[in-house]
Amino acid sequence: MNFARLNHILIPSTSAERERWRRTILGRMSAPGWWIYGALSEEGRALSVLVLFIGTAGLDVSSTQVYVLWALLIGLLVGSMAVRGWLALDGVRAVVHVAPRVSVDTLTTFEVELSSESTKDHQGIRIRGPFLPWDGTWLDSQQRVADLPAGERARRELTARFVQRGRHHLDPFRAAALVPFGLAVGPSIATETCHFMVVPKIAHVESLTLPLQSRERPGGKLEAARSGETMDLLGVRPYRRGDPIRDLHPKTWARRGTPHVREYQQEHFSRTVVLVDDERAGSEAAFEALISLAAGVVAQATRGDAIVELVLASEAESHVVVDRSGAAFDRALDVLAEVGTDAKHGGADILERLAPRLGDVSGLVFVTGSASDDRRALVEAIRQRGVACLSLRVADDLLPAWLARLTRPREEASLAIGGEKVVAASDVTAGRALRL
C-alpha cells in the first residue's frame, strides 16, 4: 500500500481543483487558519507552537508567573502580524521557470525570478515553494534574497523530486519580505501556477535488433509535408523519347553535347511499430519498468533509419510517429507519461484495432509484462500476418522464466526461437545496459 498517496487522498490533484475547493464552505471556514500560517515565518510558526505549551503551563496564574512569558511572546507575534502590511513588495513581479518535462526521480529545478519595477529597495525577501502532491519531495523549498535594489532582478532556485509519472499542477510560488524580529512576513506576491510533465526514465537500451521484413513504405516520412512520393537522385543518363522535360540536366547536356536527364529512384523508409501492452500484469515496479523499457526502445529505434510508430494496446486507433527530431520523441514521452494501470484488453481486441495498420509495417516490437497464452497468441497472430515481431517481456524476476524453461523446455525453446526476450524489471530500474 502506498501510504504517501493515502495521506493525500482528500487533497485535489490539480491547481484548478484546489482552487474550487477553497471556494467551498469548508475551504472558506479554514481560510483564516491558512492565512495565519502563511503570514508567519518559519521561526514564527515554531514560536507559536512553543507559545501553546507555555500557555498551558501558565494556566494556574496563582502559583506561577509563566503567564508573563506567554504574554511577552504573544505580544511579539501579534506585533509582528500588525506591522506586516507596511512591508508589501510593491512594484515587484515574480515569475517561475521550470522545464516542460522532467524525468521520474531526478532533480527538478524551479527558478523563481523577482524583477523590481519599484522606486525603492526591498530587503529580507523569502521565496517559498507550494505544497507538493504526494509523490513530490522538496530538497530545497525556500530561498532568501537579502537585497533587491530598485529596478534590479534576482533569481533563486528551489529543487524537488517527483516519483510519479504524469501531468503535475503546482500552486503558485510566493515571495514576501521579512518583518523585524523575523517572526512574520509581509503580504506576499505570487507567480502563476506551474504545469509540467513528469516523464518515465529512459531505459539504457545499448543495442536493439529490430525485426525487419523486406516490406517497406515508399514515399519517405509518414508525415511528409509535400504530397506524392519522395525520390532519391540516382544519377544522370542520356535522354530517351518520353522522358519528362523537367528532368533535363542542362550542365551535362552542355558538357557532352547531347541531352541528358536526371534519373531517380524511389526512397524507402522501414516502418517499425512499438506496441506497448498497458495492462498491468505484475507488480507496480514491474509496470513502471515496462514503461521505461518502452521509452528506451523508442529512443534506440529512432537512431537508425526506421520510422517508429508508438502504439498503446488499449488505444490502437491513436499513434505517435517518432523520427529523429526531439519534438517527436518528446510527444512519445508525454504519451508514456500518462499511461495508467487500469487498462483491460484481450489479445483479440488488440489485434482487431491494430490490423488496419499492419499492411505497411516492416517490423513490430511488443513490450509486455504478461506471460499469458493470450499475449503469446497475439504475437503469433501478428507473425502469421507477415509482420516480423520481437516480443519483450518485463518480469519481476528472471527466476520464474528459468523454472519454466526447466519444466517446459520445448515451449520455452519455441518462444526463444520466435523472438521472445525476458527482461528483469530490476535491470531496467537499475539502469543497466540492455542488449535486445
Side-chain angles (χ1 to χ4, degrees):
M1 179 180 293
N2 193 323
F3 291 104
R5 184 181 300 176
L6 187 62
N7 288 338
H8 289 67
I9 192 171
L10 298 179
I11 301 176
S13 58
T14 67
S15 55
E17 292 173 349
R18 289 190 288 271
E19 187 61 33
R20 283 195 295 269
W21 179 85
R22 294 186 185 101
R23 292 195 293 266
T24 62
I25 296 177
L26 182 60
R28 289 195 295 268
M29 290 177 60
S30 61
W34 288 112
W35 181 86
I36 295 174
Y37 182 82
L40 292 173
S41 66
E42 283 65 26
E43 297 84 353
R45 294 168 188 171
L47 182 61
S48 63
V49 175
L50 181 61
V51 164
L52 292 177
F53 288 101
I54 295 175
T56 303
L59 287 176
D60 187 5
V61 296
S62 60
S63 59
T64 180
Q65 291 185 334
V66 175
Y67 65 89
V68 177
L69 176 60
W70 177 85
L72 290 174
L73 296 179
I74 283 293
L76 283 175
L77 288 173
V78 173
S80 297
M81 298 284 285
V83 301
R84 62 185 299 270
W86 280 275
L87 294 170
L89 295 177
D90 296 327
V92 179
R93 186 170 61 94
V95 180
V96 61
H97 305 280
V98 63
R101 295 171 185 84
V102 299
S103 183
V104 166
D105 201 25
T106 57
L107 191 67
T108 304
T109 300
F110 300 90
E111 184 184 72
V112 179
E113 178 182 347
L114 302 180
S115 56
S116 175
E117 301 174 358
S118 175
T119 57
K120 64 177 183 179
D121 299 343
H122 297 279
Q123 293 82 26
I125 301 176
R126 289 195 177 180
I127 302 173
R128 294 172 174 172
F131 183 77
L132 294 182
W134 70 267
D135 69 308
T137 303
W138 280 117
L139 305 180
D140 189 2
S141 62
Q142 181 177 274
Q143 286 288 354
R144 305 184 181 190
V145 178
D147 185 37
L148 181 64
E152 298 293 329
R153 296 186 179 186
R155 294 180 177 87
R156 295 295 185 271
E157 292 183 350
L158 289 77
T159 54
R161 194 182 302 273
F162 300 89
V163 297
Q164 176 70 20
R165 294 177 292 106
R167 197 174 300 277
H168 283 58
H169 308 261
L170 300 188
D171 287 335
F173 289 69
R174 297 185 178 276
L178 201 63
V179 304
F181 298 109
L183 299 179
V185 293
S188 62
I189 58 174
T191 66
E192 297 290 336
T193 55
C194 194
H195 306 272
F196 56 95
M197 184 75 76
V198 178
V199 299
K201 281 187 175 180
I202 303 174
H204 184 193
V205 179
E206 189 174 78
S207 61
L208 176 66
T209 303
L210 292 176
L212 298 178
Q213 302 275 96
S214 60
R215 175 187 302 164
E216 294 177 325
R217 179 186 180 92
K221 293 187 177 181
L222 300 180
E223 294 182 341
R226 71 175 269 189
S227 60
E229 296 183 349
T230 306
M231 308 293 284
D232 280 335
L233 179 63
L234 184 62
V236 293
R237 59 170 175 78
Y239 174 82
R240 300 174 192 151
R241 185 182 296 273
D243 287 336
I245 300 300
R246 66 173 180 271
D247 291 340
L248 284 170
H249 195 251
K251 291 184 179 180
T252 306
W253 186 356
R255 186 171 62 252
R256 298 194 177 183
T258 57
H260 279 66
V261 295
R262 302 179 186 88
E263 188 175 20
Y264 297 93
Q265 69 174 358
Q266 198 173 47
E267 182 183 6
H268 294 273
F269 282 97
S270 59
R271 178 180 176 222
T272 300
V273 170
V274 178
L275 177 63
V276 181
D277 187 1
D278 51 346
E279 178 179 334
R280 177 176 164 182
S283 65
E284 184 173 355
F287 186 77
E288 293 302 317
L290 183 151
I291 300 299
S292 179
L293 179 62
V297 168
V298 172
Q300 180 65 29
T302 53
R303 294 175 186 173
D305 294 329
I307 298 297
V308 181
E309 184 175 355
L310 175 66
V311 178
L312 301 182
S314 61
E315 302 177 5
E317 297 87 353
S318 63
H319 65 281
V320 178
V321 177
V322 186
D323 52 21
R324 295 182 180 181
S325 67
F329 183 64
D330 287 342
R331 290 198 301 271
L333 287 179
D334 290 345
V335 171
L336 292 174
E338 298 191 281
V339 172
T341 59
D342 55 351
K344 299 293 181 184
H345 40 260
D349 297 331
I350 299 173
L351 183 62
E352 181 180 355
R353 291 193 292 263
L354 192 65
R357 65 184 58 194
L358 291 179
D360 53 0
V361 170
S362 302
L364 186 144
V365 180
F366 182 44
V367 186
T368 182
S370 174
S372 65
D373 294 336
D374 179 70
R375 292 304 189 260
R376 292 174 179 173
L378 170 63
V379 173
E380 186 59 30
I382 293 173
R383 290 172 182 154
Q384 289 177 358
R385 291 173 177 258
V387 178
C389 181
L390 170 63
S391 179
L392 302 177
R393 178 161 60 87
V394 178
D396 286 299
D397 197 338
L398 284 178
L399 183 59
W402 297 342
L403 292 177
R405 182 171 296 179
L406 292 175
T407 56
R408 296 182 295 177
R410 292 183 179 179
E411 182 180 358
E412 289 296 322
S414 64
L415 288 173
I417 294 173
E420 182 182 63
K421 295 184 179 180
V422 182
V423 181
S426 57
D427 290 341
V428 178
T429 305
R432 297 188 180 93
L434 303 174
R435 296 179 177 87
L436 305 174

mmCIF file of all heavy atoms in Angstrom, residues 129-158:
data_model
loop_
_atom_site.group_PDB
_atom_site.id
_atom_site.type_symbol
_atom_site.label_atom_id
_atom_site.label_comp_id
_atom_site.label_asym_id
_atom_site.label_seq_id
_atom_site.Cartn_x
_atom_site.Cartn_y
_atom_site.Cartn_z
ATOM 1 N N GLY A 129 8.204 27.664 -1.764
ATOM 2 C CA GLY A 129 7.577 26.764 -2.718
ATOM 3 C C GLY A 129 6.204 26.332 -2.243
ATOM 4 O O GLY A 129 5.904 26.382 -1.046
ATOM 5 N N PRO A 130 5.331 25.886 -3.148
ATOM 6 C CA PRO A 130 3.977 25.481 -2.765
ATOM 7 C C PRO A 130 3.954 24.088 -2.124
ATOM 8 O O PRO A 130 4.955 23.379 -2.103
ATOM 9 C CB PRO A 130 3.233 25.486 -4.101
ATOM 10 C CG PRO A 130 4.301 25.136 -5.094
ATOM 11 C CD PRO A 130 5.560 25.775 -4.596
ATOM 12 N N PHE A 131 2.788 23.723 -1.640
ATOM 13 C CA PHE A 131 2.567 22.375 -1.115
ATOM 14 C C PHE A 131 2.604 21.382 -2.275
ATOM 15 O O PHE A 131 1.949 21.585 -3.300
ATOM 16 C CB PHE A 131 1.214 22.321 -0.408
ATOM 17 C CG PHE A 131 0.917 21.003 0.235
ATOM 18 C CD1 PHE A 131 1.511 20.652 1.435
ATOM 19 C CD2 PHE A 131 0.050 20.103 -0.362
ATOM 20 C CE1 PHE A 131 1.238 19.441 2.038
ATOM 21 C CE2 PHE A 131 -0.229 18.887 0.217
ATOM 22 C CZ PHE A 131 0.372 18.550 1.431
ATOM 23 N N LEU A 132 3.391 20.322 -2.122
ATOM 24 C CA LEU A 132 3.592 19.371 -3.213
ATOM 25 C C LEU A 132 2.595 18.229 -3.152
ATOM 26 O O LEU A 132 2.085 17.887 -2.075
ATOM 27 C CB LEU A 132 5.014 18.805 -3.155
ATOM 28 C CG LEU A 132 6.154 19.783 -3.420
ATOM 29 C CD1 LEU A 132 7.491 19.063 -3.368
ATOM 30 C CD2 LEU A 132 5.983 20.481 -4.759
ATOM 31 N N PRO A 133 2.305 17.591 -4.303
ATOM 32 C CA PRO A 133 1.475 16.383 -4.290
ATOM 33 C C PRO A 133 2.196 15.243 -3.586
ATOM 34 O O PRO A 133 3.365 15.358 -3.206
ATOM 35 C CB PRO A 133 1.259 16.093 -5.783
ATOM 36 C CG PRO A 133 2.401 16.772 -6.472
ATOM 37 C CD PRO A 133 2.718 17.986 -5.657
ATOM 38 N N TRP A 134 1.512 14.126 -3.438
ATOM 39 C CA TRP A 134 2.039 13.028 -2.624
ATOM 40 C C TRP A 134 3.383 12.508 -3.124
ATOM 41 O O TRP A 134 4.209 12.029 -2.337
ATOM 42 C CB TRP A 134 1.027 11.880 -2.589
ATOM 43 C CG TRP A 134 0.887 11.152 -3.900
ATOM 44 C CD1 TRP A 134 -0.019 11.403 -4.885
ATOM 45 C CD2 TRP A 134 1.690 10.058 -4.365
ATOM 46 N NE1 TRP A 134 0.158 10.556 -5.946
ATOM 47 C CE2 TRP A 134 1.201 9.710 -5.646
ATOM 48 C CE3 TRP A 134 2.756 9.346 -3.835
ATOM 49 C CZ2 TRP A 134 1.758 8.677 -6.399
ATOM 50 C CZ3 TRP A 134 3.314 8.313 -4.586
ATOM 51 C CH2 TRP A 134 2.811 7.996 -5.843
ATOM 52 N N ASP A 135 3.625 12.578 -4.435
ATOM 53 C CA ASP A 135 4.848 11.989 -4.986
ATOM 54 C C ASP A 135 6.022 12.959 -4.995
ATOM 55 O O ASP A 135 7.112 12.597 -5.424
ATOM 56 C CB ASP A 135 4.594 11.508 -6.418
ATOM 57 C CG ASP A 135 4.381 12.660 -7.393
ATOM 58 O OD1 ASP A 135 3.536 13.523 -7.104
ATOM 59 O OD2 ASP A 135 5.070 12.698 -8.424
ATOM 60 N N GLY A 136 5.815 14.188 -4.527
ATOM 61 C CA GLY A 136 6.860 15.196 -4.568
ATOM 62 C C GLY A 136 7.522 15.401 -3.219
ATOM 63 O O GLY A 136 6.869 15.319 -2.164
ATOM 64 N N THR A 137 8.810 15.677 -3.228
ATOM 65 C CA THR A 137 9.566 15.948 -2.014
ATOM 66 C C THR A 137 10.470 17.150 -2.262
ATOM 67 O O THR A 137 11.245 17.156 -3.220
ATOM 68 C CB THR A 137 10.431 14.747 -1.609
ATOM 69 O OG1 THR A 137 9.597 13.596 -1.456
ATOM 70 C CG2 THR A 137 11.167 15.019 -0.305
ATOM 71 N N TRP A 138 10.341 18.141 -1.398
ATOM 72 C CA TRP A 138 11.214 19.302 -1.518
ATOM 73 C C TRP A 138 12.614 18.962 -1.023
ATOM 74 O O TRP A 138 12.785 18.425 0.072
ATOM 75 C CB TRP A 138 10.676 20.486 -0.706
ATOM 76 C CG TRP A 138 9.572 21.259 -1.353
ATOM 77 C CD1 TRP A 138 8.302 21.403 -0.910
ATOM 78 C CD2 TRP A 138 9.668 22.022 -2.557
ATOM 79 N NE1 TRP A 138 7.576 22.193 -1.760
ATOM 80 C CE2 TRP A 138 8.397 22.592 -2.787
ATOM 81 C CE3 TRP A 138 10.682 22.274 -3.472
ATOM 82 C CZ2 TRP A 138 8.129 23.393 -3.887
ATOM 83 C CZ3 TRP A 138 10.415 23.069 -4.577
ATOM 84 C CH2 TRP A 138 9.157 23.628 -4.770
ATOM 85 N N LEU A 139 13.621 19.268 -1.802
ATOM 86 C CA LEU A 139 15.004 19.204 -1.353
ATOM 87 C C LEU A 139 15.469 20.577 -0.878
ATOM 88 O O LEU A 139 16.365 20.685 -0.042
ATOM 89 C CB LEU A 139 15.914 18.713 -2.483
ATOM 90 C CG LEU A 139 15.519 17.366 -3.112
ATOM 91 C CD1 LEU A 139 16.484 16.999 -4.211
ATOM 92 C CD2 LEU A 139 15.465 16.276 -2.057
ATOM 93 N N ASP A 140 14.850 21.597 -1.424
ATOM 94 C CA ASP A 140 15.135 22.978 -1.027
ATOM 95 C C ASP A 140 13.880 23.786 -1.317
ATOM 96 O O ASP A 140 13.664 24.223 -2.445
ATOM 97 C CB ASP A 140 16.344 23.516 -1.801
ATOM 98 C CG ASP A 140 16.814 24.866 -1.273
ATOM 99 O OD1 ASP A 140 16.219 25.337 -0.300
ATOM 100 O OD2 ASP A 140 17.764 25.426 -1.844
ATOM 101 N N SER A 141 13.039 23.985 -0.295
ATOM 102 C CA SER A 141 11.722 24.589 -0.510
ATOM 103 C C SER A 141 11.696 26.088 -0.251
ATOM 104 O O SER A 141 10.649 26.711 -0.405
ATOM 105 C CB SER A 141 10.681 23.918 0.392
ATOM 106 O OG SER A 141 11.011 24.124 1.760
ATOM 107 N N GLN A 142 12.825 26.668 0.155
ATOM 108 C CA GLN A 142 12.835 28.093 0.482
ATOM 109 C C GLN A 142 14.177 28.706 0.113
ATOM 110 O O GLN A 142 15.222 28.075 0.258
ATOM 111 C CB GLN A 142 12.568 28.289 1.978
ATOM 112 C CG GLN A 142 12.525 29.732 2.416
ATOM 113 C CD GLN A 142 12.179 29.874 3.882
ATOM 114 O OE1 GLN A 142 11.012 29.908 4.244
ATOM 115 N NE2 GLN A 142 13.181 29.955 4.726
ATOM 116 N N GLN A 143 14.125 29.930 -0.398
ATOM 117 C CA GLN A 143 15.328 30.676 -0.700
ATOM 118 C C GLN A 143 15.165 32.102 -0.190
ATOM 119 O O GLN A 143 14.048 32.588 0.030
ATOM 120 C CB GLN A 143 15.602 30.693 -2.211
ATOM 121 C CG GLN A 143 16.108 29.389 -2.780
ATOM 122 C CD GLN A 143 17.535 29.093 -2.380
ATOM 123 O OE1 GLN A 143 18.211 29.922 -1.760
ATOM 124 N NE2 GLN A 143 18.015 27.911 -2.710
ATOM 125 N N ARG A 144 16.292 32.782 0.002
ATOM 126 C CA ARG A 144 16.269 34.139 0.536
ATOM 127 C C ARG A 144 16.984 35.096 -0.427
ATOM 128 O O ARG A 144 17.962 34.728 -1.067
ATOM 129 C CB ARG A 144 16.942 34.191 1.908
ATOM 130 C CG ARG A 144 16.346 33.218 2.910
ATOM 131 C CD ARG A 144 16.982 33.368 4.272
ATOM 132 N NE ARG A 144 16.425 32.399 5.227
ATOM 133 C CZ ARG A 144 16.648 32.428 6.531
ATOM 134 N NH1 ARG A 144 17.425 33.368 7.045
ATOM 135 N NH2 ARG A 144 16.099 31.517 7.315
ATOM 136 N N VAL A 145 16.448 36.288 -0.486
ATOM 137 C CA VAL A 145 17.071 37.376 -1.235
ATOM 138 C C VAL A 145 17.354 38.478 -0.231
ATOM 139 O O VAL A 145 16.426 39.126 0.288
ATOM 140 C CB VAL A 145 16.169 37.883 -2.370
ATOM 141 C CG1 VAL A 145 16.827 39.044 -3.109
ATOM 142 C CG2 VAL A 145 15.847 36.748 -3.336
ATOM 143 N N ALA A 146 18.624 38.686 0.076
ATOM 144 C CA ALA A 146 18.971 39.656 1.113
ATOM 145 C C ALA A 146 18.626 41.077 0.686
ATOM 146 O O ALA A 146 18.157 41.884 1.504
ATOM 147 C CB ALA A 146 20.462 39.543 1.446
ATOM 148 N N ASP A 147 18.852 41.391 -0.589
ATOM 149 C CA ASP A 147 18.634 42.763 -1.033
ATOM 150 C C ASP A 147 18.192 42.753 -2.488
ATOM 151 O O ASP A 147 18.813 42.102 -3.332
ATOM 152 C CB ASP A 147 19.925 43.577 -0.869
ATOM 153 C CG ASP A 147 19.716 45.047 -1.208
ATOM 154 O OD1 ASP A 147 18.645 45.587 -0.890
ATOM 155 O OD2 ASP A 147 20.634 45.648 -1.815
ATOM 156 N N LEU A 148 17.117 43.472 -2.796
ATOM 157 C CA LEU A 148 16.625 43.636 -4.162
ATOM 158 C C LEU A 148 16.549 45.131 -4.457
ATOM 159 O O LEU A 148 15.550 45.789 -4.129
ATOM 160 C CB LEU A 148 15.255 42.976 -4.329
ATOM 161 C CG LEU A 148 14.639 43.059 -5.730
ATOM 162 C CD1 LEU A 148 15.495 42.307 -6.752
ATOM 163 C CD2 LEU A 148 13.216 42.475 -5.733
ATOM 164 N N PRO A 149 17.603 45.705 -5.072
ATOM 165 C CA PRO A 149 17.576 47.145 -5.365
ATOM 166 C C PRO A 149 16.489 47.492 -6.380
ATOM 167 O O PRO A 149 16.030 46.649 -7.149
ATOM 168 C CB PRO A 149 18.982 47.407 -5.938
ATOM 169 C CG PRO A 149 19.821 46.247 -5.478
ATOM 170 C CD PRO A 149 18.876 45.081 -5.425
ATOM 171 N N ALA A 150 16.110 48.734 -6.395
ATOM 172 C CA ALA A 150 15.093 49.217 -7.329
ATOM 173 C C ALA A 150 15.566 49.026 -8.770
ATOM 174 O O ALA A 150 16.701 49.350 -9.105
ATOM 175 C CB ALA A 150 14.793 50.692 -7.062
ATOM 176 N N GLY A 151 14.683 48.471 -9.596
ATOM 177 C CA GLY A 151 14.989 48.257 -10.993
ATOM 178 C C GLY A 151 15.861 47.053 -11.271
ATOM 179 O O GLY A 151 16.215 46.809 -12.433
ATOM 180 N N GLU A 152 16.222 46.272 -10.267
ATOM 181 C CA GLU A 152 17.084 45.112 -10.455
ATOM 182 C C GLU A 152 16.270 43.816 -10.453
ATOM 183 O O GLU A 152 15.058 43.813 -10.169
ATOM 184 C CB GLU A 152 18.154 45.054 -9.361
ATOM 185 C CG GLU A 152 19.095 46.238 -9.357
ATOM 186 C CD GLU A 152 19.978 46.272 -10.585
ATOM 187 O OE1 GLU A 152 20.296 45.177 -11.104
ATOM 188 O OE2 GLU A 152 20.344 47.380 -11.034
ATOM 189 N N ARG A 153 16.971 42.722 -10.752
ATOM 190 C CA ARG A 153 16.353 41.399 -10.748
ATOM 191 C C ARG A 153 17.157 40.452 -9.871
ATOM 192 O O ARG A 153 18.367 40.637 -9.700
ATOM 193 C CB ARG A 153 16.258 40.824 -12.163
ATOM 194 C CG ARG A 153 15.359 41.611 -13.092
ATOM 195 C CD ARG A 153 15.209 40.905 -14.419
ATOM 196 N NE ARG A 153 14.321 41.630 -15.315
ATOM 197 C CZ ARG A 153 13.934 41.175 -16.501
ATOM 198 N NH1 ARG A 153 14.389 40.001 -16.935
ATOM 199 N NH2 ARG A 153 13.115 41.873 -17.251
ATOM 200 N N ALA A 154 16.479 39.446 -9.361
ATOM 201 C CA ALA A 154 17.140 38.413 -8.568
ATOM 202 C C ALA A 154 16.539 37.064 -8.928
ATOM 203 O O ALA A 154 15.314 36.953 -9.132
ATOM 204 C CB ALA A 154 16.979 38.685 -7.071
ATOM 205 N N ARG A 155 17.406 36.066 -9.029
ATOM 206 C CA ARG A 155 16.958 34.719 -9.357
ATOM 207 C C ARG A 155 17.407 33.763 -8.276
ATOM 208 O O ARG A 155 18.551 33.806 -7.827
ATOM 209 C CB ARG A 155 17.512 34.262 -10.713
ATOM 210 C CG ARG A 155 16.990 35.045 -11.910
ATOM 211 C CD ARG A 155 17.599 34.512 -13.203
ATOM 212 N NE ARG A 155 17.068 35.181 -14.377
ATOM 213 C CZ ARG A 155 17.572 36.305 -14.878
ATOM 214 N NH1 ARG A 155 18.620 36.871 -14.290
ATOM 215 N NH2 ARG A 155 17.043 36.846 -15.954
ATOM 216 N N ARG A 156 16.502 32.872 -7.895
ATOM 217 C CA ARG A 156 16.817 31.836 -6.915
ATOM 218 C C ARG A 156 16.231 30.513 -7.400
ATOM 219 O O ARG A 156 15.202 30.488 -8.082
ATOM 220 C CB ARG A 156 16.249 32.174 -5.539
ATOM 221 C CG ARG A 156 16.862 33.401 -4.893
ATOM 222 C CD ARG A 156 18.330 33.194 -4.574
ATOM 223 N NE ARG A 156 18.904 34.331 -3.848
ATOM 224 C CZ ARG A 156 19.458 35.390 -4.430
ATOM 225 N NH1 ARG A 156 19.505 35.465 -5.763
ATOM 226 N NH2 ARG A 156 19.966 36.375 -3.703
ATOM 227 N N GLU A 157 16.896 29.417 -7.044
ATOM 228 C CA GLU A 157 16.460 28.084 -7.477
ATOM 229 C C GLU A 157 15.981 27.263 -6.289
ATOM 230 O O GLU A 157 16.653 27.207 -5.252
ATOM 231 C CB GLU A 157 17.610 27.359 -8.188
ATOM 232 C CG GLU A 157 17.987 27.970 -9.522
ATOM 233 C CD GLU A 157 19.069 27.187 -10.231
ATOM 234 O OE1 GLU A 157 19.649 26.272 -9.570
ATOM 235 O OE2 GLU A 157 19.351 27.459 -11.412
ATOM 236 N N LEU A 158 14.829 26.622 -6.464
ATOM 237 C CA LEU A 158 14.290 25.679 -5.499
ATOM 238 C C LEU A 158 14.260 24.313 -6.167
ATOM 239 O O LEU A 158 13.959 24.211 -7.367
ATOM 240 C CB LEU A 158 12.881 26.080 -5.046
ATOM 241 C CG LEU A 158 12.763 27.302 -4.136
ATOM 242 C CD1 LEU A 158 12.902 28.591 -4.933
ATOM 243 C CD2 LEU A 158 11.434 27.307 -3.395
#
